[in-house]
Amino acid sequence: MRITWLFPGVLILILISACAPSLMPSKDPWYAQHFFIMQDFEREIYRSLSPTGRIEFQKIFWEERPQTAKEEFDRRMEFIYQNYKRENFKQPWNTDRARVYLLNGPPAMIESHVNDNWSMQVRQAVGRTATAIETRTDEDIAATTLEVWAYNFEDQVVYYSFLFEPPNKWRQAELRVGGYRYMGALELKNKVETFGVKDESAYRQKLQKLQFIK
């Protein structure tokens, strides 16, 4: 589905996938919490391990990172529990806004918008046909709410957009404006600078050994 929106004086295009699955797993709570800050090689190794190997992986994961990384992770997770629990009571980190916040931290700016381009729903009334000019009773106002997060990256501004879905969900949509193509670079930068390991070579060797644990 395509939606056009007026944002800071620019007409933008939002592309929504109605059936897009969540990127994060849900059956392994630890993996779900850490999924978005993990490097690709970490995810690949973790999925290949035995249950015992995964427990050892979880220990090594934070042992090989600076203490400041764990402290920042805990601060962001606390914020997520306080602000996004309504979207997913059991796993508040497994929501679109939470995963972006967990990786990138607080945005430089958040703007909320409501679409003013009202579209009326024509329904069959009792004994007659309703017209589109009678009332605004059938407008789904909540579904038109848009939240845009802005992050500074080098000389660009990267935007994330989230659309509200009643009764309590916010779903990320693709926002074709303002440094969109730099989103991947921004996320990689935060993985490395905020949550990177102290010695990647030694870390990889330790993880490889876990694959022999039965």
Side-chain angles (χ1 to χ4, degrees):
M1 181 172 64
R2 294 170 179 246
I3 297 177
T4 55
W5 217 289
L6 190 63
F7 177 67
V10 179
L11 191 64
I12 62 175
L13 176 66
I14 299 175
L15 305 176
I16 303 174
S17 175
C19 301
S22 172
L23 290 175
M24 290 194 291
S26 59
K27 294 182 180 180
D28 184 331
W30 188 93
Y31 188 34
Q33 281 186 329
H34 297 79
F35 179 86
F36 205 56
I37 69 169
M38 294 171 73
Q39 300 281 358
D40 290 343
F41 76 88
E42 292 177 296
R43 297 173 185 169
E44 182 178 352
I45 292 175
Y46 186 85
R47 290 193 298 265
S48 71
L49 299 178
S50 66
T52 303
R54 291 184 178 186
I55 292 175
E56 292 303 313
F57 181 104
Q58 294 169 16
K59 297 177 182 177
I60 295 174
F61 184 86
W62 285 118
E63 288 176 354
E64 296 299 312
R65 286 169 162 80
Q67 180 63 28
T68 53
K70 183 62 167 65
E71 292 171 352
E72 183 61 26
F73 179 86
D74 290 341
R75 278 194 295 268
R76 295 182 185 182
M77 192 62 70
E78 182 180 1
F79 180 89
I80 287 169
Y81 267 97
Q82 293 175 352
N83 292 274
Y84 304 130
K85 195 169 185 177
R86 186 168 179 265
E87 294 184 54
N88 186 336
F89 184 79
K90 292 183 178 180
Q91 294 188 354
W93 59 84
N94 201 354
T95 61
D96 285 354
R97 291 189 300 173
R99 66 177 181 79
V100 172
Y101 185 91
L102 182 60
L103 178 58
N104 297 332
M109 179 185 65
I110 297 178
E111 290 200 19
S112 299
H113 300 263
V114 175
N115 192 354
D116 291 328
N117 297 322
W118 300 109
S119 59
M120 303 300 299
Q121 298 180 3
V122 179
R123 296 187 178 183
Q124 185 69 33
V126 178
R128 62 186 178 85
T129 300
T131 65
I133 60 173
E134 290 183 11
T135 69
R136 289 187 172 183
T137 304
D138 295 327
E139 290 172 348
D140 189 358
I141 297 175
T144 64
T145 301
L146 171 70
E147 193 168 282
V148 179
W149 295 11
Y151 288 92
N152 295 318
F153 174 67
E154 297 179 352
D155 59 345
Q156 302 291 327
V157 178
V158 177
Y159 294 108
Y160 289 80
S161 63
F162 305 93
L163 288 173
F164 180 73
E165 290 186 347
N168 61 350
K169 299 291 184 182
W170 286 85
R171 183 172 59 166
Q172 185 180 357
E174 294 184 18
L175 184 61
R176 300 292 186 179
V177 69
Y180 175 80
R181 67 181 182 275
Y182 297 99
M183 186 178 292
L186 168 67
E187 294 177 355
L188 179 59
K189 173 177 178 289
N190 286 323
K191 283 183 183 181
V192 174
E193 293 188 359
T194 306
F195 299 111
V197 296
K198 292 176 286 189
D199 185 338
E200 184 171 322
S201 178
Y203 176 60
R204 283 176 177 265
Q205 291 179 15
K206 290 184 178 180
L207 295 185
Q208 291 293 339
K209 292 179 181 178
L210 297 180
Q211 299 184 64
F212 297 100
I213 298 178
K214 302 298 184 181

